[in-house]
Amino acid sequence: MDKYAVIGNPIKQSMSPVIHSAFARETSQDLEYGKLFAEVDGFKTVVDEFFAGGAKGLNVTAPFKLDAFEYADELTERARTAGAVNTLARQPDGTFLGDNTDGPGLVSDIRDHLGWAIAGKKVLVLGAGGATRGTLLPLLNEKPALLHIANRTASKAQHLAEDFVAYGSISAGGLGEVPEGFDLIINASAASLSGELPPLSPRALADGCRAYDMVYGAQPTPFMHWATGLGAEVSDGLGMLVGQAAEAFVLWRGVRPSVEPVLAMLRDDLRRKQPDTP
């Protein structure tokens, strides 16, 4: 039986084993998928031991995506431009291919599951950290009319945009100087993790705007509440989680699983775990 796993610190909360086990059942793939914990400085030792046992692939979550980038012998273009790896695949010659499936997971959720257009639209991405960097190439490959990065520190967003100027129409600036009228706004900042709202002007939303938060949970995030109040259609990032897992599964097994049943299962699970309110 082929072995796979996800590695992280912490790792207990990971839903990856549930997701990939469901994918395996649906596609009749004979595999075993587990969780690996590593100390912050122990990534290579744990991964070496895992692959020495004949394992075929590994998902990588925080804080090890840069370690995985260095571990890989070869990188896909999307991993190279992201500067981070979230999926390792053992090749037939024993070397390791590093990929980053976060961006494709985001795009597939927005375009295929939600049915929201990216091509030809004005897209605003909030935040200029690793979550944003990992999604820029797949978003630009969809040919938006414009992709604008807005960040609290404008220079960080501008430097990031410069790295991707060859891939499409991209600009950047501070949160206080965002242009008007975006069709799609993606919150890739850390604000929702701390229950905060990015300081964004309502003028950033065009009529019919869609708003997507990479964070997910049983309840809408502050960003989703804000956008809903301004008439936007909204979504959280649970579909991105399942979508990036599906991309990794394709890389490993050569077959594409169905996202919808797993997404529905996880959504129901989140609702069940939500405490009752009076």
Side-chain angles (χ1 to χ4, degrees):
M1 181 181 295
D2 292 339
K3 292 185 178 181
Y4 300 86
V6 58
I7 186 170
N9 180 347
I11 196 59
K12 184 178 180 180
Q13 82 291 348
S14 176
M15 291 191 281
S16 292
V18 174
I19 295 171
H20 283 280
S21 295
F23 287 164
R25 288 192 298 271
E26 183 216 331
T27 58
S28 300
Q29 298 289 305
D30 188 19
L31 61 86
E32 175 184 305
Y33 191 106
K35 297 179 184 179
L36 297 176
F37 173 85
E39 298 294 345
V40 174
D41 60 351
F43 176 84
K44 187 177 186 302
T45 300
V46 173
V47 175
D48 281 347
E49 182 178 350
F50 178 65
F51 281 119
K56 298 290 188 180
L58 188 66
N59 285 137
V60 183
T61 188
F64 297 124
K65 292 184 181 182
L66 296 181
D67 296 271
F69 184 87
E70 297 297 331
Y71 193 92
D73 299 297
E74 182 184 355
L75 298 167
T76 63
E77 184 182 22
R78 59 198 187 193
R80 180 179 55 78
T81 58
V85 161
N86 77 338
T87 304
L88 288 167
R90 184 199 287 274
Q91 304 292 81
D93 64 359
T95 61
F96 295 98
L97 175 67
D99 196 4
N100 191 309
T101 65
D102 288 331
L106 171 69
V107 168
S108 67
D109 190 37
I110 291 174
R111 183 193 61 205
D112 304 328
H113 171 240
L114 296 171
W116 298 354
I118 301 173
K121 301 297 184 180
K122 290 178 64 178
V123 178
L124 172 63
V125 180
L126 305 178
T132 294
R133 176 176 282 275
T135 60
L136 289 180
L137 180 60
L139 284 170
L140 288 168
N141 283 342
E142 292 297 302
K143 306 299 183 186
L146 170 68
L147 192 155
H148 184 83
I149 307 167
N151 191 57
R152 291 181 186 273
T153 305
S155 59
K156 187 175 182 181
Q158 289 158 354
H159 290 149
L160 184 54
E162 289 169 4
D163 291 343
F164 286 84
V165 70
Y167 295 97
S169 178
I170 188 168
S171 60
L175 284 168
E177 53 188 26
V178 174
E180 298 180 10
F182 285 92
D183 304 299
L184 172 63
I185 302 177
I186 300 169
N187 184 22
S189 74
S192 290
L193 292 172
S194 54
E196 298 177 0
L197 179 67
L200 187 65
S201 169
R203 293 178 298 176
L205 284 71
D207 289 340
C209 180
R210 275 75 179 259
Y212 189 99
D213 200 325
M214 288 190 185
V215 173
Y216 61 87
Q219 296 296 324
T221 67
F223 171 74
M224 292 167 65
H225 276 300
W226 174 80
T228 299
L230 294 171
E233 187 177 354
V234 302
S235 176
D236 69 7
L238 186 62
M240 177 181 174
L241 173 71
V242 181
Q244 65 81 24
E247 294 294 331
F249 197 87
V250 172
L251 179 66
W252 291 334
R253 310 301 294 183
V255 58
R256 182 169 294 278
S258 300
V259 168
E260 295 288 348
V262 180
L263 181 54
M265 175 185 67
L266 294 181
R267 185 71 70 188
D268 287 343
D269 188 54
L270 281 174
R271 292 191 183 108
R272 285 195 301 271
K273 290 179 180 177
Q274 177 67 12
D276 293 333
T277 55

